[in-house]
Amino acid sequence: MLYTELLRLWDESVQAMDTKDWDEALAKLDQISEPTSRTLFNAASAHVSLGQLDLALKALDLTIAKDQRLSVAFFQRAAVTMQLDRLEEALSDCIWAQKHMRGNMVIDYRQLGLRYKLYSWQVLYNAAAVYCRMGQWEQAREVLLSASQERGGGRGGNVELALDSVLNEKVLAPLLVPEGVVFRPRKQEVEQLQQRDFLGKAKVISSMIPNDDFGGFEPLRLQKPGFYQPTGEGAQDSRYMRMGFPYMARGPGQLTVPGGAMVFLFGEEDRDGMATVIFDGQRGLVPMSLLKTADVKSSKSKKDNRVPSGIPLPPSLQPPTRPQSQPGPSALPSPPLTSDTPPPSYTTATNTTLSASKPPKYTANAANQQDANSAQAAEAGSVVVKVHYTYTVALSVPLYTPYHELREQIAQKLGQPASHLRLRYKKHGSRVLEPLGGEVESGTCLQEVAEAGRATLWCQTEDPLVTRTILYQMVALYDYTAQGTEDLEFSEGDTIDILGEVNEEWLEGHCAGNVGIFPSCFAYRENANITASTEL
């Protein structure tokens, strides 16, 4: 249900209660499909006014179910159950009302829309009334004595009169929220229910069409499509003028117009001899003495040299279509890819050779490219290795360097013991870090992971994983910032070694030399078959 509809029905029910039309108020409240605790309290008040105590009790039960901390609802329900002679429930409601006052002497419900103050002594008064109906006069007197010691206004002489009644063993009448005192919607929200026209209706004060002399607070007159020309014939009635000499702007609001240019006279000459004209889409002032009347004559020839001065007609022709490219005789069709034809790889894409049928093209960068190729030929037997650690380093090593020698050089570069370093790489098209083959098999070299004279490795220290077993690996989907000292912080795309499963939602992992826990939803397992269960 829309809040505006609820607000409208709520306000209409309150207006009906102000006129004591309880049936109409209940009819409006019954139309609310999703009632709130405040509208249910209002319905209970209407039932109490009609003497329908059973229906009032049901409405108060729903009110407390919606808001279990509403002390005034417990206070009202205690009075209703007392009249229904359900004394145990009434005493329980008095206890709950006192508890939800949280030690306050008074609670003002004006901020919630109820113009009523609930005092602590009123709750104690109703509790004493329950004891009176139970015949426990001594308990009623003690409760009233404690109520007389409560601080706060609004008591008057009610407690003293109640003590006299208890001494004479007269039953006390329960206190209720006064009739007509109900929860009201906010006045500012009710005012917003009425539609307002903040923009108003547009009124035209001047026409933008140059030859339209219309002006005033009336709707714009209908214009016919096409080019609008001055209605007058000849030079005398024409509003188009021609600059006899060039003019340079010398002050604010003036225009710079070249000599011989045609302008439109927008206003009359002022006392300073300046006239308002329109030139090149701009409006400004030029000396009237420099303007000469332009001879604009209508021509009936095919080539009409009229000066357009209004709204042009839309183009009648469609724009031309894009020309179709015809394949030349030298262009050969590309062979279709079959299951036997391997897709182009990174190596083939970076090491393509020129076709023998096409001569090489020399561009402005041909000399620089030739120098780069000669430099690569000089270092044909070397590989540039980029190593990602807590920082990134690069070094050049021979292509057939064994892994143990590469580890020694990287350890020397990073200043770490070689036995504490673990090297990994990513296969082409994969995001999972896999250990180098030299950590499992001996006799392998850098040539296996190098592509186009380059290799990228990831280096991690093994101190945190000395006695741990890697179950499998996952790739981070998002950045995760550690919320505590035990959390594992990582970035999107990082590879995480899974060391254990804490529960269904949390995992323990290792990344970038750190061990900690993280939510399992922040990473995914790229390949379930990759289970690097290697004891380090």
Side-chain angles (χ1 to χ4, degrees):
M1 183 177 186
L2 295 177
Y3 182 69
T4 54
E5 185 66 16
L6 184 146
L7 200 64
R8 182 183 62 80
L9 293 174
W10 185 8
D11 180 61
E12 291 177 356
S13 66
V14 170
Q15 293 179 7
M17 288 183 182
D18 291 340
T19 60
K20 298 187 182 301
D21 190 355
W22 310 112
D23 294 328
E24 178 66 19
L26 289 173
K28 294 294 183 182
L29 292 173
D30 289 340
Q31 297 179 20
I32 301 177
S33 59
E34 298 177 2
T36 63
S37 59
R38 289 181 282 182
T39 58
L40 290 170
F41 185 90
N42 290 358
S45 300
H47 286 303
V48 170
S49 301
L50 292 174
Q52 302 170 355
L53 298 181
D54 293 333
L55 296 177
L57 182 59
K58 291 181 181 179
L60 287 171
D61 291 341
L62 295 175
T63 303
I64 294 175
K66 291 283 186 179
D67 189 354
Q68 300 179 1
R69 301 292 186 272
L70 194 61
S71 182
V72 69
F74 285 98
F75 172 76
Q76 189 80 340
R77 191 171 71 172
V80 173
T81 53
M82 197 184 312
Q83 297 180 30
L84 292 174
D85 203 18
R86 298 163 66 170
L87 302 180
E88 296 291 340
E89 297 179 11
L91 184 60
S92 176
D93 286 338
C94 290
I95 296 174
W96 281 109
Q98 187 71 18
K99 179 180 179 181
H100 291 315
M101 292 194 70
R102 299 181 296 275
N104 296 315
M105 296 295 102
V106 61
I107 296 179
D108 191 354
Y109 288 96
R110 186 173 302 176
Q111 293 183 352
L112 297 180
L114 182 66
R115 301 171 184 173
Y116 183 73
K117 293 182 180 180
L118 178 62
Y119 292 92
S120 177
W121 69 266
Q122 293 176 328
V123 179
L124 295 175
Y125 184 97
N126 276 1
V130 175
Y131 284 123
C132 290
R133 282 171 169 76
M134 290 181 176
Q136 301 178 10
W137 302 102
E138 186 63 26
Q139 290 287 345
R141 189 180 67 83
E142 292 179 0
V143 172
L144 289 175
L145 287 176
S146 61
S148 63
Q149 297 175 1
E150 294 281 345
R151 292 179 297 176
R155 271 197 315 245
N158 294 329
V159 177
E160 289 74 11
L161 294 176
L163 280 172
D164 295 338
S165 299
V166 169
L167 292 177
N168 296 326
E169 296 186 357
K170 292 182 180 180
V171 178
L172 300 179
L175 296 179
L176 283 164
V177 176
E179 183 180 286
V181 178
V182 293
F183 285 97
R184 299 175 181 270
R186 293 172 58 89
K187 183 179 178 181
Q188 294 83 351
E189 295 180 350
V190 174
E191 292 176 352
Q192 296 298 325
L193 292 176
Q194 300 178 359
Q195 295 184 356
R196 294 184 179 182
D197 187 7
F198 292 97
L199 297 179
K201 295 183 180 180
K203 294 182 179 180
V204 179
I205 60 174
S206 64
S207 176
M208 293 300 297
I209 300 175
N211 63 338
D212 191 357
D213 296 332
F214 164 77
F217 293 91
E218 295 179 6
L220 183 63
R221 294 178 294 183
L222 295 177
Q223 304 288 342
K224 297 180 181 181
F227 294 103
Y228 294 94
Q229 296 296 332
T231 56
E233 294 290 340
Q236 182 177 1
D237 298 330
S238 176
R239 303 282 295 180
Y240 289 97
M241 312 293 286
R242 193 178 300 276
M243 293 292 296
F245 299 94
Y247 179 73
M248 182 70 67
R250 301 176 182 178
Q254 298 184 7
L255 283 180
T256 299
V257 184
M262 185 172 291
V263 298
F264 180 81
L265 185 60
F266 190 79
E268 301 297 334
E269 181 180 2
D270 57 9
R271 291 182 299 177
D272 297 333
M274 306 293 288
T276 302
V277 299
I278 296 178
F279 172 71
D280 196 17
Q282 298 181 357
R283 184 172 64 178
L285 298 173
V286 295
M288 189 65 183
S289 59
L290 300 180
L291 297 177
K292 296 182 180 179
T293 304
D295 189 8
V296 181
K297 296 182 179 179
S298 59
S299 175
K300 297 183 180 180
S301 61
K302 187 174 183 180
K303 295 183 179 179
D304 195 355
N305 296 325
R306 294 180 302 170
V307 180
S309 61
I311 305 174
L313 289 169
S316 59
L317 299 178
Q318 297 294 332
T321 59
R322 186 181 299 276
Q324 301 293 334
S325 59
Q326 300 294 336
S330 60
L332 298 177
S334 58
L337 291 176
T338 63
S339 59
D340 299 335
T341 305
S345 62
Y346 176 79
T347 306
T348 58
T350 55
N351 294 280
T352 56
T353 58
L354 292 174
S355 175
S357 61
K358 294 183 179 180
K361 296 182 180 180
Y362 294 93
T363 61
N365 297 329
N368 296 334
Q369 186 68 23
Q370 187 173 2
D371 294 341
N373 293 336
S374 61
Q376 292 180 0
E379 298 180 357
S382 63
V383 178
V384 177
V385 181
K386 182 166 64 174
V387 182
H388 294 290
Y389 187 53
T390 54
Y391 50 90
T392 303
V393 297
L395 63 158
S396 179
V397 295
L399 180 62
Y400 299 96
T401 302
Y403 284 149
H404 67 276
E405 295 183 9
L406 177 62
R407 186 198 301 271
E408 294 290 340
Q409 295 188 29
I410 294 175
Q412 184 179 2
K413 192 82 172 179
L414 298 177
Q416 297 288 340
S419 59
H420 289 178
L421 297 183
R422 183 160 58 116
L423 300 178
R424 295 184 178 184
Y425 77 104
K426 290 182 181 179
K427 288 185 177 181
H428 184 68
S430 175
R431 301 179 67 178
V432 175
L433 292 176
E434 298 184 7
L436 288 178
E439 298 187 358
V440 180
E441 303 174 2
S442 59
T444 53
C445 59
L446 185 60
Q447 185 184 8
E448 297 181 357
V449 298
E451 291 183 355
R454 295 177 182 175
T456 303
L457 303 178
W458 280 260
C459 180
Q460 297 177 346
T461 58
E462 297 199 17
D463 290 342
L465 305 178
V466 174
T467 59
R468 304 301 299 272
T469 301
I470 300 177
L471 302 179
Y472 50 89
Q473 291 179 337
M474 300 182 74
V475 179
L477 282 172
Y478 318 100
D479 296 343
Y480 179 67
T481 304
Q483 306 296 326
T485 56
E486 71 279 0
D487 288 2
L488 176 64
E489 186 169 346
F490 50 80
S491 301
E492 179 184 355
D494 288 351
T495 300
I496 306 171
D497 300 326
I498 305 302
L499 305 179
E501 297 180 355
V502 181
N503 52 32
E504 295 180 356
E505 298 180 354
W506 288 84
L507 300 174
E508 183 182 15
H510 165 262
C511 181
N514 298 320
V515 175
I517 63 174
F518 66 95
S520 58
C521 59
F522 275 70
Y524 75 99
R525 194 172 178 179
E526 187 178 61
N527 189 357
N529 297 326
I530 299 177
T531 56
S533 302
T534 306
E535 294 185 5
L536 302 177

